[in-house]
């Protein structure tokens, strides 16, 4: 065998050995990778703070209303944004209802609040508390309300419209009639505000008027649609 032939055979054997080692290494790496657990999706970070919602024409919400004392009043009602003022406050259902820029109720078919019902005050974060005063008018009756509210937690809340990450707000309202059939009482309320839809998605409250039976009311989001 010539020196050139011997050199060629030696080189070929060396290259074959390298190829075998590379294949073996690749196989081992692939086996190790296959044995590793699949990556786990990380949960979204919890809500830390919510700014005031940005309402848009065409947004729509449907709510279910249940009153334990007067079930004949149980119903669903829909709200859609007809226009948005320069300060961000929306008009709903062609002017039949209105919210302030924070989503607090100013008026609906039942009555009006001056300046608003004050249920929300932004930014929201756990530990925040606030006070709000308002006058509510319904026909010939009027009452003054004094609200104390506090954000106590962030919770995942289930509704007919789905599950939402929400700020849980506990509230107490002391109210007293100032006109008409006066009366007075205390309302204890828990609200869950979901930033993803810009509204309170669940509301539970017990209204206790003096010398009368308490009444429990629940309001829950049943449907939400964004502008098209």
């Amino acid at each position: 065998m010539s020196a050139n032939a011997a050199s060629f055979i030696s080189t070929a054997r060396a290259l074959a050995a390298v190829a075998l080692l590379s294949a073996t290494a690749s196989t081992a790496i692939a086996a190790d990778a296959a044995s590793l657990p699949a990556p786990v999706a990380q949960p979204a970070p919890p809500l830390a703070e919510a700014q005031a919602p940005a309402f848009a024409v065409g947004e729509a919400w449907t709510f279910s209303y249940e009153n334990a004392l007067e079930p004949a009043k149980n119903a669903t009602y829909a709200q859609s944004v007809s226009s948005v003022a320069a300060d961000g406050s929306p008009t709903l259902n062609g002017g039949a209802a209105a919210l302030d820029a924070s989503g607090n109720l100013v008026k609906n078919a039942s009555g009006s609040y001056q300046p608003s019902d004050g249920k929300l005050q932004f930014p929201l974060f756990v530990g925040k508390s606030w006070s709000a005063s308002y006058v509510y008018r319904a026909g010939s009756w009027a009452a003054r309300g004094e609200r104390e509210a506090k954000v106590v937690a962030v919770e995942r809340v289930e509704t007919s419209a789905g599950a939402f990450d929400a700020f849980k707000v506990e509230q107490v309202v002391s109210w007293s009639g100032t006109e008409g059939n006066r009366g007075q009482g205390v309302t204890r309320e828990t609200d869950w505000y979901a930033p993803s839809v810009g509204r309170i998605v669940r509301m539970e409250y017990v209204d206790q008027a003096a010398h009368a039976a308490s009444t429990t009311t629940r309001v829950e989001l049943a449907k939400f649609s964004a502008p098209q």
Side-chain angles (χ1 to χ4, degrees):
M1 179 183 299
S2 68
N4 288 340
S7 177
F8 175 80
I9 292 172
S10 176
T11 301
R13 287 175 176 173
L15 290 174
V18 169
L20 178 61
L21 289 172
S22 297
T24 302
S26 297
T27 301
I29 291 170
D32 288 344
S35 67
L36 292 174
V40 177
Q42 296 300 310
L47 295 175
E49 184 174 292
Q51 301 298 323
F55 294 105
V57 172
E59 279 185 294
W61 307 265
T62 300
F63 297 92
S64 62
Y65 173 94
E66 296 182 2
N67 184 282
L69 188 64
E70 299 177 283
K73 294 183 177 180
N74 294 354
T76 60
Y77 62 93
Q79 296 178 335
S80 61
V81 178
S82 305
S83 62
V84 180
D87 67 355
S89 57
T91 297
L92 309 178
N93 299 355
L99 307 176
D100 68 9
S102 294
N104 295 310
L105 186 60
V106 175
K107 72 171 184 176
N108 60 13
S110 300
S112 64
Y113 293 85
Q114 182 60 40
S116 73
D117 63 5
K119 293 183 179 184
L120 299 170
Q121 187 183 96
F122 292 92
L124 291 179
F125 51 85
V126 175
K128 179 174 181 175
S129 60
W130 66 92
S131 302
S133 300
Y134 62 82
V135 173
Y136 174 71
R137 296 184 181 277
S140 62
W141 187 72
R144 182 174 182 84
E146 299 291 340
R147 183 183 301 276
E148 297 293 332
K150 184 175 182 178
V151 182
V152 297
V154 170
E155 293 183 347
R156 185 78 167 170
V157 60
E158 296 283 345
T159 74
S160 300
F164 300 93
D165 292 326
F167 288 92
K168 182 180 181 180
V169 186
E170 293 184 347
Q171 318 208 23
V172 177
V173 178
S174 300
W175 56 269
S176 57
T178 57
E179 298 176 24
N181 183 18
R182 298 194 173 187
Q184 60 183 9
V186 175
T187 301
R188 300 184 183 279
E189 179 174 338
T190 303
D191 299 330
W192 286 265
Y193 172 82
S196 60
V197 296
R199 298 295 300 273
I200 293 171
V201 295
R202 180 186 287 176
M203 180 191 313
E204 299 176 355
Y205 60 92
V206 178
D207 194 30
Q208 178 64 69
H211 313 298
S214 64
T215 177
T216 300
T217 302
R218 293 182 177 86
V219 179
E220 182 180 290
L221 183 68
K223 184 179 179 181
F224 168 70
S225 58
Q228 299 300 316

